[in-house]
């Protein structure tokens, strides 16, 4: 048996080298500069004043006390906000898939608690914070609607608010469900979760004449530049955004209205401005994963073949913007079900606008589906792995399109073997270790394979070195190393002689670090540029002295090539109808063991095993780290992590890293990652992307294991001790 927990994974078929990260030494020795580490000339410091109410309007400000505080440079509110030009939402093509809210401080209206209502600028961070705490605000307060079930929340069908959206369906669900032999009708819920990366949300802005340089913790500088230029009403060439390193983003460092706001403030005070949003304000000055509710109806015939599936999801959004994740697009294509219905609704409440968080649609929707699958398998008297195998499909039941590659069964087989699934006694509450109830559970992971148009520039010098330039991001994933590896493999240059530059608008425009697109999209552009260099040498790059003399013969000290790359079928018009796009998806299978103390109900996850197939694995070491980190987050999302809402005030209660729980070392036991060799030819690079694959399904595997240990189905996340101690029937526990 291979040791999957070995420090350096051994590459399998169709896998690259397990090179260590090229920036690792700089990171662990503190040499890496993150956005807030940049030094500005004669800087000022900004601190936000945020709304203490969730709904209403501002009657007025009393700034008298704040203005005379030592070190205060300026205080801006909607009354005197430096006009950055009227905010014009960027065109959809320029804005990215989730454009930010309009710039705050444009009126007296309050749409959510924590809304930015004033910016205090001072000589030091401490002075700005002290003055912000002395800004008095007179509000006209109205009763807010807090969450999906609250009075005053407006629930709308996604089909009615988004012209292009159609709820996936096929066959005749109602009829098939009514006549089915075995069925289930369950309610599931997932909580709000907030971004708490180590690196805080940051914006630094410095003007030189008409040009502004911005340092910001961002996962998409090129899109951010377009948005900021639109906010400021200036040409995008006037805006430079630099952010080579990111201390965790996970969807939280996409476009934000804060950037243009701080740039406008810097222009008004005629000095550079530094903003580091404190942890608590980060809960409302930024996006988050919103809570969702699900109804899943699932039915099978007597042999265990699925015959009907209906998935109704309701997602919270703000009053400002109709953000949605609509995870039914994925869940309706996972199993071979002939009759499918689905419906997505959004719930507008008095909350800040949600946004992306690692696998935004898949995490909540696959939780519901994969719990339901486990429940129905049990009702059919089938092992949940066998049940999934029986209902596997190699094509979409909605469109009939085949998957470019799909090895879900192979993932289940490998992970089950490694985990020891065969030792499971299927009866609930049948396994025990001393005072601990032991449960085994499993679930499917799935995540669409995306890429994204990218450009790259590569330079090969006569001394056998190379420079790779691409305005994509390494958000901590190892992307820098992978870009270098792509060039090293094609140019035959050792990785330690390659310099990789990323995360800056002065570099070629490339895909943002969202949707697990960087390796496939950015890597394909780097490959294209390298291929062009190879073509200059008639397909064979000379090595060593031969390279030097070959370049000398051409009269060159270096060769530089620029390449544009677009995903297959994606024309200049930008994108194609989803119905015509190839069906490409990465898959995985996760198995967990949970232990629940028979008296205290303390819950532990001593081990987890995941097997994944995601096309070519560019670097098994960075890939394993990605998947391992994702599974750990998956454990956190199942039993630790959630944002507490104050129903009366539409406020977040645990807005600190002390009270917002994430797993720590002592919470995590054995994490095993298996990478299944897979060849996928959707794109020449062969990679599908896996950053968001590993935390999909984890929470369902844990919920299923909790049921196996205790006989209790916990259908609302997180699974906390109180839910296991309370033996009364819970809503949704049909
Ligand atoms: Mo990531 S949640 O796709 O930005």
């Amino acid at each position: 048996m291979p040791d999957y927990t070995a420090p350096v994974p051994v590459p399998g078929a169709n896998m690259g080298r397990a090179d260590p990260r090229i920036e690792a030494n700089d990171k662990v020795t503190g040499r890496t500069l993150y956005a807030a580490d940049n030094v500005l000339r004669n800087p000022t410091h900004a601190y936000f004043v945020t709304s203490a109410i969730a709904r209403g309007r501002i009657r007025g400000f009393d700034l008298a006390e704040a203005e005379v505080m030592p070190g205060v440079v300026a205080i801006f509110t909607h009354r005197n906000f430096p006009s950055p030009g009227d905010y014009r939402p960027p065109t959809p093509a320029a804005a990215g898939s989730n454009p930010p809210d309009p710039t705050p401080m444009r009126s007296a209206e309050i749409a959510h608690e924590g809304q930015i209502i004033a910016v205090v600028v001072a000589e030091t961070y401490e002075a700005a914070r002290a003055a912000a705490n002395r800004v008095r605000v007179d509000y006209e307060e109205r009763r807010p609607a807090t969450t999906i079930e609250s009075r005053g929340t407006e629930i709308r069908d996604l089909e009615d608010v988004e012209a292009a959206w159609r709820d996936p369906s096929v066959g005749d669900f109602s009829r098939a469900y009514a006549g089915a032999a075995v069925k289930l009708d369950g309610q599931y819920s997932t909580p709000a979760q907030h971004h708490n990366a180590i690196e805080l949300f940051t914006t630094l802005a410095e003007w030189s004449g008409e040009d502004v340089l911005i340092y910001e913790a961002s996962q998409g500088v090129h899109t951010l530049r377009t948005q900021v230029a639109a906010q400021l009403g200036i040409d995008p060439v006037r805006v430079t955004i630099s952010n080579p390193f990111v201390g965790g983003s996970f969807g939280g460092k996409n476009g934000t209205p804060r950037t243009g706001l701080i740039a406008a403030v810097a222009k008004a005070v005629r000095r550079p401005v530094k903003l580091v949003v404190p942890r608590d304000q980060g809960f409302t000055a930024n996006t988050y994963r919103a809570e969702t509710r699900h109804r899943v109806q699932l039915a099978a015939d007597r042999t265990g073949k699925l015959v009907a599936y209906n998935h109704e999801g309701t997602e919270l959004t703000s009053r400002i913007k109709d953000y949605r994740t609509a995870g039914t697009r994925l869940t309706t294509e996972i199993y071979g079900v002939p009759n499918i219905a689905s419906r997505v609704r959004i719930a507008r409440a008095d909350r800040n606008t949600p946004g992306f968080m690692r696998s935004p649609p898949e995490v909540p929707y696959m939780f519901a589906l994969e719990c339901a699958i486990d429940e129905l398998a049990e009702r059919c008297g089938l092992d949940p792995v066998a049940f999934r195998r029986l209902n596997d499909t190699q094509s979409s039941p909605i469109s009939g399109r085949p998957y470019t590659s799909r090895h879900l069964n192979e993932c289940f087989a490998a992970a089950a073997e490694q985990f020891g699934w065969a030792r499971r006694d299927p009866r609930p509450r049948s396994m025990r270790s001393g005072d601990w109830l032991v449960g085994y559970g499993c679930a499917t992971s799935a995540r669409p394979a995306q890429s994204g148009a990218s450009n790259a520039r590569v330079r090969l010098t006569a001394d056998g070195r190379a420079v790779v330039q691409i305005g994509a991001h390494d958000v901590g994933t190892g992307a820098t190393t992978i870009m270098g590896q792509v060039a090293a493999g094609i140019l035959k240059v050792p990785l330690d002689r390659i310099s990789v530059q990323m995360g800056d608008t002065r570099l070629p425009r490339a895909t943002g670090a969202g949707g697990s697109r960087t390796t496939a999209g950015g890597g394909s552009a780097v490959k294209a540029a390298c291929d062009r260099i190879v073509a200059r040498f008639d397909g064979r790059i000379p090595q060593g002295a031969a390279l030097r003399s070959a370049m000398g013969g051409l009269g060159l000290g270096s060769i530089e090539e620029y390449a544009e790359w677009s995903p297959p079928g994606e024309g200049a018009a930008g994108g194609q109808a989803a119905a015509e796009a190839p069906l490409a998806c990465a898959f995985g299978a996760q198995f967990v063991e949970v232990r629940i103390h028979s008296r205290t109900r303390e819950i532990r996850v001593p081990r987890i095993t995941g097997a994944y197939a995601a096309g070519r694995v560019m670097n098994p070491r960075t890939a394993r780290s990605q998947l391992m980190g994702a599974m750990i987050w998956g454990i956190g999302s199942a039993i630790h992590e959630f944002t507490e809402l104050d129903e009366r005030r539409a406020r977040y209660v645990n807005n600190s890293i002390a009270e917002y729980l994430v797993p720590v070392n002592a919470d995590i036991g054995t994490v095993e990652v298996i990478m299944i060799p897979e060849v996928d030819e959707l794109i020449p690079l062969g990679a599908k992307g896996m950053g968001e694959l590993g935390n999909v399904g984890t929470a369902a595997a844990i919920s299923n294991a909790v049921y196996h240990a205790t006989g209790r189905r916990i259908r609302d996340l997180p699974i906390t001790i109180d839910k296991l101690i309370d033996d009364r029937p819970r809503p949704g526990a049909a």
Side-chain angles (χ1 to χ4, degrees):
M1 203 72 213
D3 179 5
Y4 295 106
T5 61
V8 183
V10 178
N14 197 29
M15 294 182 197
R17 286 168 40 153
D19 287 316
R21 295 178 188 217
I22 57 184
E23 81 286 16
N25 278 345
D26 284 348
K27 279 188 171 165
V28 299
T29 55
R31 277 198 291 269
T32 302
L33 290 188
Y34 291 88
D37 299 327
N38 287 286
V39 176
L40 302 172
R41 285 171 286 125
N42 190 22
T44 63
H45 297 261
Y47 198 96
F48 290 144
V49 178
T50 62
S51 173
I53 67 165
R55 183 173 176 226
R57 62 194 320 278
I58 299 165
R59 274 203 211 96
F61 290 95
D62 179 356
L63 304 179
E65 219 184 310
E67 276 170 341
V68 298
M69 293 284 289
V72 170
V73 173
I75 301 176
F76 297 106
T77 70
H78 70 276
R79 299 252 166 95
N80 67 340
F81 180 58
S83 173
D86 288 318
Y87 177 77
R88 287 164 295 179
T91 60
S97 52
N98 183 27
D101 287 352
T103 306
M105 289 173 38
R106 306 306 295 162
S107 81
E109 299 301 318
I110 298 295
H112 65 87
E113 194 271 337
Q115 180 177 314
I116 300 163
I117 57 173
V119 181
V120 177
V121 184
E123 296 294 343
T124 64
Y125 173 82
E126 291 76 12
R129 182 178 57 186
N133 286 334
R134 284 177 169 73
V135 170
R136 309 273 173 245
V137 189
D138 182 19
Y139 299 102
E140 189 182 302
E141 187 174 2
R142 299 171 67 194
R143 190 177 184 284
T146 301
T147 187
I148 294 169
E149 293 79 9
S150 305
R151 186 154 49 90
T153 296
E154 184 195 359
I155 296 186
R156 301 283 306 272
D157 277 296
L158 186 57
E159 284 194 348
D160 291 340
V161 299
E162 189 175 315
W165 177 258
R166 288 287 166 274
D167 288 317
S169 70
V170 70
D172 186 341
F173 164 78
S174 301
R175 201 180 144 145
Y177 186 80
V182 189
K183 53 183 110 175
L184 166 96
D185 188 345
Q187 314 263 349
Y188 304 85
S189 72
T190 65
Q193 297 177 334
H194 276 76
H195 287 288
N196 279 286
I198 294 173
E199 183 192 27
L200 296 167
F201 303 115
T202 300
T203 303
L204 283 67
E206 182 170 39
W207 289 85
S208 316
E210 296 300 306
D211 298 314
V212 64
L213 171 63
I214 292 168
Y215 301 103
E216 171 161 320
S218 166
Q219 59 192 93
V221 284
H222 282 282
T223 303
L224 183 61
R225 171 166 74 168
T226 311
Q227 294 167 353
V228 169
Q231 278 177 293
L232 299 172
I234 63 176
D235 191 314
V237 301
R238 296 281 179 209
V239 180
T240 300
I241 304 180
S242 175
N243 183 45
F245 300 99
V246 187
S249 59
F250 308 106
K253 286 165 182 165
N254 280 296
T256 155
R258 165 190 91 231
T259 318
L261 177 69
I262 292 301
V265 165
K267 186 160 201 174
V269 300
R270 296 170 181 277
R271 282 173 65 183
V273 173
K274 176 174 183 173
L275 170 81
V276 178
V277 181
R279 186 66 67 182
D280 59 340
Q281 290 188 349
F283 276 66
T284 48
N286 212 79
T287 59
Y288 60 102
R289 194 198 292 284
E291 60 266 33
T292 66
R293 310 286 184 256
H294 305 258
R295 178 190 192 189
V296 176
Q297 294 170 285
L298 205 56
D301 66 19
R302 283 186 204 292
T303 70
K305 286 286 280 181
L306 287 169
V307 295
Y309 167 39
N310 175 39
H311 197 145
E312 297 171 14
T314 306
E315 311 172 7
L316 182 114
T317 189
S318 69
R319 304 275 189 203
I320 305 166
K321 201 181 85 176
D322 290 334
Y323 174 79
R324 55 82 172 172
T325 72
T328 49
R329 194 145 59 190
L330 179 102
T331 60
T332 55
E333 295 193 310
I334 297 293
Y335 297 110
V337 195
N339 302 286
I340 297 175
S342 68
R343 183 184 187 189
V344 172
R345 295 184 297 173
I346 54 165
R348 297 170 178 156
D350 300 297
R351 294 270 297 281
N352 54 314
T353 304
F356 300 142
M357 184 184 281
R358 201 172 193 171
S359 307
E362 294 81 17
V363 162
Y365 281 78
M366 285 293 280
F367 168 70
L369 173 59
E370 288 300 296
C371 288
I373 287 282
D374 195 80
E375 297 194 43
L376 197 68
E378 187 191 32
R379 290 185 190 189
C380 290
L382 286 170
D383 174 85
V385 178
F387 184 70
R388 286 181 176 87
R389 184 181 301 274
L390 182 63
N391 289 292
D392 188 51
T393 181
Q394 291 292 322
S395 60
S396 163
I398 302 293
S399 67
R401 290 172 299 159
Y403 281 98
T404 55
S405 56
R406 167 166 163 145
H407 293 92
L408 177 60
N409 288 342
E410 289 78 0
C411 291
F412 266 104
E417 165 77 21
Q418 171 74 10
F419 180 83
W421 182 252
R423 292 197 299 271
R424 177 182 186 258
D425 179 336
R427 294 166 304 154
R429 279 187 92 95
S430 62
M431 294 170 67
R432 222 182 149 103
S433 172
D435 282 343
W436 296 82
L437 306 174
V438 176
Y440 289 2
C442 64
T444 295
S445 303
R447 166 78 201 169
Q450 304 179 353
S451 47
S454 295
N455 309 306
R457 189 186 295 116
V458 177
R459 185 163 67 239
L460 176 69
T461 51
D463 63 353
R465 295 180 176 274
V467 178
V468 174
Q469 296 184 317
I470 180 163
H473 291 270
D474 185 337
V475 293
T477 57
T480 316
T481 308
I482 285 166
M483 298 304 151
Q485 285 181 282
V486 170
I490 300 171
L491 301 178
K492 311 292 179 218
V493 172
L495 189 56
D496 62 6
R497 293 171 72 85
I498 297 180
S499 152
V500 181
Q501 298 168 8
M502 298 179 74
D504 195 300
T505 54
R506 289 164 289 201
L507 301 170
R509 183 172 184 120
T511 182
S516 307
R517 292 186 175 96
T518 302
T519 293
S524 292
V526 171
K527 177 182 186 306
C530 293
D531 286 344
R532 286 187 177 197
I533 292 177
V534 174
R536 299 269 294 264
F537 292 97
D538 296 326
R540 231 189 114 77
I541 298 213
Q543 301 293 297
L547 175 66
R548 196 180 296 271
S549 63
M551 281 209 186
L554 295 168
L556 296 171
S558 68
I559 291 182
E560 187 173 282
E561 285 286 356
Y562 183 92
E564 300 177 354
W565 184 83
S566 297
E570 192 171 287
Q576 57 189 333
E580 297 154 24
L583 181 61
C585 198
F587 287 94
Q590 299 190 33
F591 289 75
V592 298
E593 175 181 329
V594 303
R595 292 189 172 218
I596 292 166
H597 196 273
S598 56
R599 280 184 284 276
T600 66
R601 308 313 203 265
E602 178 182 345
I603 171 168
R604 293 275 155 198
V605 181
R607 63 192 185 101
I608 180 166
T609 302
Y612 303 91
R616 179 172 171 80
V617 176
M618 305 301 291
N619 179 328
R621 187 197 301 245
T622 57
R624 190 190 61 170
S625 294
Q626 277 288 285
L627 294 163
M628 187 180 278
M631 289 156 79
I632 291 168
W633 192 349
I635 293 170
S637 78
I639 65 173
H640 298 115
E641 185 181 353
F642 71 113
T643 307
E644 297 250 24
L645 301 170
D646 181 339
E647 295 276 346
R648 302 157 302 172
R649 312 296 302 269
R651 276 186 184 191
Y652 303 127
V653 178
N654 54 338
N655 59 352
S656 74
I657 201 67
E659 294 180 275
Y660 186 91
L661 302 185
V662 296
V664 297
N665 248 12
D667 293 311
I668 301 300
T670 303
V671 182
E672 295 176 310
V673 178
I674 302 167
M675 286 169 269
I676 303 291
E678 177 178 81
V679 175
D680 187 280
E681 290 170 352
L682 175 66
I683 60 169
L685 207 63
K688 282 181 174 175
M690 57 172 60
E692 295 174 280
L693 177 61
N695 64 326
V696 177
T698 321
I702 290 171
S703 175
N704 298 339
V706 166
Y707 169 74
H708 181 232
T710 65
R712 303 270 317 273
R713 293 272 180 198
I714 307 296
R715 299 179 179 87
D716 51 333
L717 293 179
I719 302 165
T720 44
I721 290 171
D722 54 303
K723 292 175 187 171
L724 287 165
I725 279 193
D726 182 358
D727 282 331
R728 290 167 300 176
R730 299 184 63 79

